[in-house]
């Protein structure tokens, strides 16, 4: 039960930090640019990408043709001289200002992540400082294994990638401290 409560506390803290990081500090917008002519780009998406939602990388290389040297050479030449784009595409659109479902999914994701971390922190049997250090290490691990590869492989902007590190590290330090406090408090009560 103490781990469950610690996870719920951590979920609330990381969610509140995420709101502050995005709404007050603007960390969620670092590296995101405004298009020079949005209507031209939007007008060409249906024609260029069709009706299949998904992630598109432009220029594209069909994985089935990776063995064809002529195709690889042509792709390499095109990639060297063409713009690059990583596009998350929804052909039907979506009102991004209707945030209710997104907020609910974010809270659930934050809470599940905090529960997983609370489980590890509870197993660790460490003191407050070491539990907070473990939370920081978990944040850096998650960033290194998920966000940094997007910078490396998909060319996400470096400032976007570093802002994500700040957001994750500060958030999990705060949530980790709250969870470490609760776990230590609970352990002291069990011992007495």
């Amino acid at each position: 039960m103490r781990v469950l409560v610690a996870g719920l506390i951590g979920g609330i803290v990381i969610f509140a930090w995420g709101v502050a990081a995005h709404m007050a500090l603007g960390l969620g917008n670092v590296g995101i640019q405004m298009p020079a002519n949005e209507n031209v780009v939007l007008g060409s998406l249906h024609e260029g990408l069709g009706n299949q939602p998904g992630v598109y990388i432009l220029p594209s290389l069909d994985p089935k043709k990776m063995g064809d040297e002529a195709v690889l050479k042509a792709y390499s030449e095109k990639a060297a001289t063409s713009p690059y784009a990583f596009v998350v595409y929804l052909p039907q659109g979506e009102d991004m200002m209707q945030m209710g479902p997104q907020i609910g999914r974010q809270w659930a994701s934050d809470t599940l992540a905090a529960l997983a971390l609370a489980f590890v922190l509870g197993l660790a049997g460490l003191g407050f400082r070491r539990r907070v250090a473990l939370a920081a290490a978990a944040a850096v691990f998650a960033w290194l294994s998920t966000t940094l590869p997007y910078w490396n492989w998909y060319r996400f902007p470096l400032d976007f990638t570093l802002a994500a590190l700040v957001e994750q590290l500060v958030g999990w330090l705060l949530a980790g401290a709250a969870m470490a406090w609760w776990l230590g408090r609970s352990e002291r009560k069990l011992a007495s």
Side-chain angles (χ1 to χ4, degrees):
M1 183 61 132
R2 67 189 182 89
V3 170
L4 177 64
V5 172
L8 292 174
I9 291 169
I12 291 167
V13 171
I14 194 71
F15 181 79
W17 163 250
V19 170
H22 284 254
M23 303 300 287
L25 301 177
L27 287 176
N29 293 322
V30 173
I32 297 176
Q33 305 297 323
M34 297 300 298
N37 192 332
E38 182 176 286
N39 291 333
V40 169
V41 175
L42 289 174
S44 67
L45 287 176
H46 280 294
E47 182 181 342
L49 299 179
N51 290 318
Q52 183 65 37
V55 174
Y56 292 83
I57 298 174
L58 303 168
S60 295
L61 175 62
D62 186 344
K64 296 173 191 161
K65 297 182 179 178
M66 291 289 285
D68 185 332
E69 288 197 32
V71 169
L72 291 177
K73 184 177 186 292
Y75 172 78
S76 184
E77 290 171 3
K78 184 176 185 178
T81 60
S82 297
Y84 169 86
F86 182 95
V87 179
V88 178
Y89 180 60
L90 297 174
Q92 74 282 0
E94 185 175 313
D95 183 356
M96 298 298 283
M97 297 312 294
Q98 299 301 314
M99 293 187 203
Q102 291 170 266
I103 290 171
R105 288 189 300 263
Q106 188 62 51
W107 179 85
S109 170
D110 288 344
T111 301
L112 289 173
L115 285 168
L117 184 57
F119 178 74
V120 172
L121 295 178
L123 284 177
L126 302 170
F128 177 82
R129 287 187 191 133
R130 289 189 176 179
R131 281 184 169 141
V132 174
L134 184 57
V140 172
F141 171 81
W143 178 80
L144 287 169
S145 63
T146 56
T147 307
L148 197 61
Y150 288 140
W151 165 79
N152 181 42
W153 293 104
Y154 302 120
R155 311 305 188 265
F156 277 38
L158 182 59
D159 55 354
F160 176 92
T161 305
L162 294 174
L165 172 61
V166 170
E167 181 182 350
Q168 294 301 307
L169 184 57
V170 171
W172 287 110
L173 278 170
L174 294 170
M179 291 187 288
W181 167 80
W182 176 262
L183 290 168
R185 179 181 169 275
S186 300
E187 288 168 350
R188 284 188 295 280
K189 280 188 175 181
L190 289 173
S192 33

